[in-house]
Amino acid sequence: MSRNRGVNPNETTQLPLSDGDWIEVRMRLSSGEERMIQRLTAKGYQRADSDGGDSQIRVDLDVTKFASVRAAQYLTNWSMRNYKGEPIPLPANFSLEKRAAIIESLDEDTVREIDEAITAHVTAQQEAREQEKKARAGSSGETASAATSPSAAT
């Protein structure tokens, strides 16, 4: 049976932050959403030759934008409040740039904490997918590379 290759945009999880705050994030991003982060944070592109003579493209990311843009892409809700104690809205219908600007309006410690929580979430999701891949390969009697590589099967 083939596996599901789509991403459910409504699948979320709540991640705790300090002082009782929390963020709600998407479980996974689609390929297009991941690429949008790269597009919005790219400072430039360089062609680099690898040792084998193959030409590769290297993307230089603006690290000052990366945390807020990635957070804007993952976040669906949060418990953040402004200096008056009022909820800070994070409208889903805002552009990614406007959502990133809202995140950038928070204090640096909060943005860093959000980024660390999202990084831990992304890492855990990647590890879970790797375990699933190994389990699928093991149950079919194939090695992981044979299960994913068409050239290994020939």
Side-chain angles (χ1 to χ4, degrees):
M1 182 172 159
S2 65
R3 68 181 174 93
N4 181 354
R5 295 176 185 270
V7 174
N8 180 350
N10 300 315
E11 188 177 15
T12 62
T13 188
Q14 196 174 91
L15 306 176
L17 300 178
S18 62
D19 302 321
D21 281 320
W22 52 267
I23 56 174
E24 183 180 88
V25 297
R26 303 250 320 267
M27 291 298 287
R28 290 181 68 184
L29 298 179
S30 70
S31 175
E33 291 163 336
E34 290 281 358
R35 283 174 175 59
M36 180 62 77
I37 295 170
Q38 294 170 4
R39 276 194 295 276
L40 293 177
T41 59
K43 286 195 306 188
Y45 302 88
Q46 294 180 352
R47 191 167 288 287
D49 289 330
S50 66
D51 293 338
D54 292 334
S55 186
Q56 298 178 347
I57 295 176
R58 189 181 89 197
V59 178
D60 294 324
L61 297 180
D62 184 343
V63 295
T64 63
K65 291 181 182 179
F66 182 78
S68 61
V69 171
R70 182 175 72 159
Q73 194 71 287
Y74 268 96
L75 286 168
T76 59
N77 200 359
W78 62 11
S79 64
M80 301 300 143
R81 297 190 172 274
N82 64 21
Y83 65 94
K84 295 179 183 176
E86 301 164 338
I88 300 173
L90 189 65
N93 63 339
F94 275 20
S95 69
L96 195 56
E97 293 93 337
K98 284 184 181 179
R99 290 168 53 86
I102 292 169
I103 293 162
E104 289 173 357
S105 74
L106 302 172
D107 67 78
E108 184 61 30
D109 290 340
T110 301
V111 174
R112 186 176 301 114
E113 186 176 8
I114 290 170
D115 184 53
E116 289 169 358
I118 291 173
T119 297
H121 167 72
V122 169
T123 300
Q125 291 301 305
Q126 288 170 336
E127 290 171 358
R129 284 193 300 280
E130 284 301 316
Q131 291 301 318
E132 289 173 11
K133 193 184 297 184
K134 288 178 184 177
R136 279 193 313 273
S139 67
S140 66
E142 301 175 8
T143 64
S145 62
T148 59
S149 174
S151 62
T154 57

